[in-house]
Amino acid sequence: MHELSIAHSLVETASRAAQDAGVQQVQAVHLRLGALAGVVKEALLFSYDIAAEGTVLAGSRLEIEDIPVAIHCPNCAVTSTLASIQSFCCPLCGQPSADIRQGRELELVSLEVSDEQPTYP
Amino acid sequence: MNSPRILEIRRSVLEKNDVLAQNLRARFTAAGVLVINLVSSPGAGKTALLEATLRHLRENGIGAAALVGDLATDNDAQRLARSGAPVRQIVTGGNCHLEADMIETHLADWGLALDSLDCLFIENVGNLVCPASYDLGEHLRVVLFSVTEGEDKPLKYPIIFNTADVAIITKIDLAAAVEFDRDAATAAIHAVHPGISILETSAKTGKGMSNWLDYLNTCRNSFALHRITP
Ligand SMILES: Nc1nc2c(ncn2[C@@H]2O[C@H](COP(=O)(O)OP(=O)(O)O)[C@@H](O)[C@H]2O)c(=O)[nH]1
Ligand SMILES: [Mg+2]
Ligand SMILES: [Zn+2]
């Protein structure tokens, strides 16, 4: 179980970005999670709330986009996504390929924020 | 009420570890040290293989050292130190994997002269899940699994097998006793990592050790291995 440690890294990176941008409140954090990242989504969601406590991210939503693995087939010259990470074969022709083009992502994409706007008389 | 706006970030969550690992790898490469990260489930035979490997490398005048991660004990480090090679323990205190900053810190405290080394082995914590996500600055990630673990292990832990550079089937001396199905094991490994090299070893009888040592030697000589970030 290393999702708590991942969640802490995520919160650290996101809070720094929020602070740098002068953001007061974060509504949501958007993350891209590759099927090969080695992170269990449910465990990360659970850990996120714990890690976010007491930070600018407290109470925010973690929105995770699942990214499937994509491999490039030299036979077909086509990149296809895999239905399962237990078989690295081209879905078109069946040729095995280790040429991975997508699926390792563990990427903080964006924050949904609201700014404290100054009030004018 | 302000309407929310989107603040673009686009950064890897493991950026800190990855940058540290890349710096470590550059240092290792500059010093001419081949660094090997050994991963497996607990008891697959990492320490046994490493004991035999260190002994052999020393006998052949190749400078080798080992960093050993363990949840709580220094038993493995003691076993490895008997080979005469420099060995250092990293007690992770319950952490289920090693991270690049642990390698950096322990190397600094250790005061090991990297220039005088040829190979540095890192025995990761016994775990087939978490170590997959953490680049330690190694050139070579080696995944081990023993004939007693079941041929379908790679299908159960595809990511660690996929991110490894070579797979070693260990305890091959027990293959007949457990009716190990070599073809099924090979098919399972290649299903999750097409084309990966597969070696077989027995730390007990020495079978396959020369292939493994040859493999290491080839890697040391080429040094063309630049791992992509896992
Ligand atoms: N028969 C046999 N037993 C082995 C071999 N390698 C390791 N073992 C045994 O398997 C157990 C676990 O080995 P160890 O090296 O501590 O595994 P680690 O947890 O991966 O470091 C020990 O009891 C070893 O003696 C081998 O090649 N053959
Ligand atoms: Mg061990
Ligand atoms: Zn194809």
Side-chain angles (χ1 to χ4, degrees), chain B residues 13-151:
Chain B
V13 174
L14 290 174
E15 188 178 74
K16 220 161 110 186
N17 187 79
D18 291 345
V19 169
L20 215 51
Q22 274 154 27
N23 292 342
L24 279 172
R25 186 156 37 248
R27 250 174 78 194
F28 295 143
T29 306
V33 187
L34 179 73
V35 178
I36 302 112
N37 178 8
L38 299 174
V39 294
S40 80
S41 51
K46 295 181 297 301
T47 308
L49 179 71
L50 204 41
E51 280 181 276
T53 306
L54 291 176
R55 223 182 303 118
H56 183 96
L57 291 177
R58 277 180 66 81
E59 281 165 16
N60 287 273
I62 298 168
L67 269 171
V68 188
D70 194 286
L71 292 169
T73 74
D74 68 349
N75 298 347
D76 286 0
Q78 289 188 21
R79 276 166 66 191
L80 292 170
R82 275 185 241 131
S83 69
V87 174
R88 184 166 171 111
Q89 175 76 35
I90 304 178
V91 178
T92 62
N95 206 343
C96 53
H97 60 270
L98 294 174
E99 297 187 18
D101 67 338
M102 301 178 190
I103 305 299
E104 189 183 47
T105 307
H106 280 263
L107 276 179
D109 290 353
W110 198 3
L112 189 68
L114 282 180
D115 288 321
S116 65
L117 270 189
D118 299 303
C119 292
L120 173 65
F121 294 89
I122 302 171
E123 178 177 337
N124 217 313
V125 181
N127 179 339
L128 282 176
V129 181
C130 310
S133 305
Y134 295 90
D135 187 354
L136 303 182
E138 73 267 30
H139 299 101
L140 205 60
R141 185 180 287 185
V142 181
V143 63
L144 290 74
F145 94 110
S146 63
V147 295
T148 60
E149 290 176 64
E151 293 82 358

Side-chain angles (χ1 to χ4, degrees), chain A residues 18-99:
Chain A
Q19 263 146 29
D20 289 352
V23 165
Q24 306 294 325
Q25 214 190 345
V26 177
Q27 261 99 31
V29 170
H30 294 268
L31 182 81
R32 280 159 56 88
L33 175 57
L36 284 177
V39 172
V40 179
K41 186 177 180 174
E42 290 68 31
L44 183 60
L45 285 168
F46 176 80
S47 304
Y48 179 76
D49 292 336
I50 300 168
E53 232 169 74
T55 76
V56 65
L57 301 179
S60 65
R61 282 172 289 125
L62 174 59
E63 306 230 327
I64 300 179
E65 182 192 355
D66 291 303
I67 309 295
V69 176
I71 57 169
H72 185 78
C73 173
N75 255 2
C76 307
V78 165
T79 299
S80 321
T81 58
L82 297 181
S84 145
I85 58 169
Q86 291 172 328
S87 172
F88 281 71
C89 292
C90 171
L92 303 175
C93 73
Q95 161 107 352
S97 169
D99 185 357

